[in-house]
Amino acid sequence: MEKPDLFSSTKEFFLFSVVCFFLIVLHLWIRYGEYKAFIVKPFYYTQVEVLSAYMKTKNHRRYQVLKVHSTQGHTFYTTTHHEHSMLHKRLRLQLFPNKKIGFLDYLGTFYVKSKIKEVYPKEEERKDRLFSFLFSQHHTEALKHFYGAIFFATPLTQELREKISLLGVSHLVALSGFHLGILWGLVYGILGLLYRPLQQRYFPYRYALFDVGLVVILLLGIYVWFVGSPPSLLRSYAMMLLGWMVLLLGVKLLSFTFLSMVGLLLLVLFPSLLVSLSFWFSMAGVFYIFLLLRYFQSQHSWLISLLVLPLGIFVLMLPVVHGVFGVTSPFQLLSPLLSLLFILFYPFEMLLHLLGWGGLLDGWLLWLFALPKEGVVSLLSSWMVVVYVGLSLGAIWKKNLFYLLCGVALAYALYLFIFV
């Protein structure tokens, strides 16, 4: 029997959307009041933690660019002429906001001038001991930063970020729903094996999806909190939580109304996502997954998992991504294969690091990172991206438009990797 839709009618979904729209506007109005209060002050003090730091030179003067997160919840950039690294330090800053900081900048990540008033050494936490255990298994800074990123959401160095971008696997390194999905499958599978015999013997009336799912949701929530609740991971966790609840209610999960509902609820809770590129990219990625499943659901599951989804998402996302990030390299063609391998690599590396053998594959990873030397920049014009997005939305209802969409995306991929 087919599962019912999340909304019983178009009118019901429309009313839900209108309510969400007004809540988003209300939340934005509150944030705008906070913004106005922020920029009118000549200065004020705050405490921050330095997330990343790197040196730059301008007019023969060296300075340090800091990305920091304040106790008030803001993430912003600032600069200092201090030579010694501020990475992972806690600072007391005197901020000098001005009207050059726009409201949209305030919602996202902005730059503000500051003066360091005090530097606090970061207190050692349990996480730091885990970092030390992890880093001790690797001899190169690149791999220390790589594993720190995929396990604990720590920032990458600029050089390593560029290499990963040239390989087309930035989505594998930034903790997101892809990683949570792997962890859900792993933890749910292990706990399910332990739960099933107990259920059959002592409580056959219980529902495994609720009992085991609740434990997994709680464990993943602790993990998200432990790594600092990065925005991309937090919204993915919220999406997973809503998806689990929808499954428990017995309604259709793989639907565009569900995706729209999740997107609207996330914007109600976190209106700053309106200016978050990673949010819109993740929404686009899930949208194309749903679109591919809509028209290929009659195919064998192994064909969908191993071929349709990896290649389809890669090709369909190219025009969207290249509307913003134009870096192109032939090694990005490895992205679908590397994405598939990562599903095995991620839990395998977790096990190796727990056993103290985390450096076992270091040689292969260094070889992989050394493959791309340089790329070219090819941006897709904004109006073409708008037309492509419109075609994508139309493909929800018209199969012919879906085939046209695939043809356009494939033609653009051939143009990128052959003629650019």
Side-chain angles (χ1 to χ4, degrees), residues 54-121:
Y54 58 92
M55 299 299 299
K56 292 191 74 174
T57 303
K58 185 178 182 180
N59 298 329
H60 307 291
R61 294 191 65 187
R62 283 168 57 82
Y63 61 96
Q64 198 170 170
V65 180
L66 308 178
K67 184 180 182 181
V68 302
H69 186 74
S70 72
T71 51
Q72 288 79 23
H74 299 298
T75 300
F76 56 89
Y77 288 95
T78 190
T79 54
T80 177
H81 290 285
H82 286 258
E83 286 288 333
H84 58 278
S85 176
M86 294 291 177
L87 186 62
H88 301 318
K89 295 279 198 319
R90 288 189 303 114
L91 311 175
R92 185 170 182 262
L93 295 181
Q94 183 181 14
L95 302 182
F96 303 97
N98 57 63
K99 293 182 179 179
K100 289 182 179 178
I101 302 171
F103 179 54
L104 294 182
D105 300 321
Y106 179 79
L107 284 178
T109 304
F110 55 93
Y111 171 81
V112 61
K113 291 182 179 179
S114 70
K115 185 177 181 180
I116 297 176
K117 306 301 289 185
E118 201 166 351
V119 180
Y120 309 102

Side-chain angles (χ1 to χ4, degrees), residues 138 143 147 345 348-349 352 357-367:
H138 306 282
L143 291 177
Y147 283 110
F345 170 84
F348 182 60
E349 276 296 339
L352 288 180
W357 302 337
L360 191 64
L361 301 179
D362 281 8
W364 288 100
L365 284 174
L366 289 173
W367 170 78

Side-chain angles (χ1 to χ4, degrees), residues 333-346:
L333 292 169
L334 294 172
S335 177
L337 175 61
L338 293 176
S339 298
L340 278 176
L341 293 176
F342 191 81
I343 297 172
L344 300 175
F345 170 84
Y346 193 55

Side-chain angles (χ1 to χ4, degrees), residues 369-389:
F369 293 154
L371 284 177
K373 303 299 181 184
E374 58 183 15
V376 295
V377 176
S378 177
L379 279 169
L380 189 63
S381 62
S382 299
W383 71 268
M384 288 184 176
V385 175
V386 171
V387 170
Y388 183 79
V389 170

Side-chain angles (χ1 to χ4, degrees), residues 61-223:
R61 294 191 65 187
R62 283 168 57 82
Y63 61 96
Q64 198 170 170
V65 180
L66 308 178
K67 184 180 182 181
V68 302
H69 186 74
S70 72
T71 51
Q72 288 79 23
H74 299 298
T75 300
F76 56 89
Y77 288 95
T78 190
T79 54
T80 177
H81 290 285
H82 286 258
E83 286 288 333
H84 58 278
S85 176
M86 294 291 177
L87 186 62
H88 301 318
K89 295 279 198 319
R90 288 189 303 114
L91 311 175
R92 185 170 182 262
L93 295 181
Q94 183 181 14
L95 302 182
F96 303 97
N98 57 63
K99 293 182 179 179
K100 289 182 179 178
I101 302 171
F103 179 54
L104 294 182
D105 300 321
Y106 179 79
L107 284 178
T109 304
F110 55 93
Y111 171 81
V112 61
K113 291 182 179 179
S114 70
K115 185 177 181 180
I116 297 176
K117 306 301 289 185
E118 201 166 351
V119 180
Y120 309 102
K122 189 177 179 183
E123 298 176 3
E124 185 177 359
E125 302 173 354
R126 186 174 288 106
K127 188 192 299 186
D128 298 312
R129 291 194 289 273
L130 283 175
F131 284 165
S132 299
F133 177 67
L134 179 108
F135 293 162
S136 67
Q137 300 178 43
H138 306 282
H139 302 294
T140 63
E141 289 300 314
L143 291 177
K144 290 177 182 179
H145 282 94
F146 171 73
Y147 283 110
I150 66 171
F151 291 147
F152 299 111
T154 57
L156 296 170
T157 62
Q158 185 68 24
E159 182 183 1
L160 183 58
R161 187 182 294 111
E162 290 172 359
K163 291 287 186 182
I164 286 170
S165 177
L166 289 171
L167 285 169
V169 292
S170 298
H171 62 290
L172 300 182
V173 180
L175 278 180
S176 63
F178 187 61
H179 303 77
L180 284 184
I182 296 173
L183 292 175
W184 169 279
L186 181 67
V187 179
Y188 191 93
I190 294 172
L191 293 180
L193 289 175
L194 300 174
Y195 175 88
R196 199 164 293 113
L198 295 174
Q199 179 196 32
Q200 291 174 349
R201 183 167 183 178
Y202 298 109
F203 37 83
Y205 52 87
R206 298 291 302 179
Y207 190 26
L209 181 61
F210 177 82
D211 293 339
V212 181
L214 179 62
V215 174
V216 177
I217 284 290
L218 291 174
L219 290 176
L220 292 182
I222 293 170
Y223 173 68

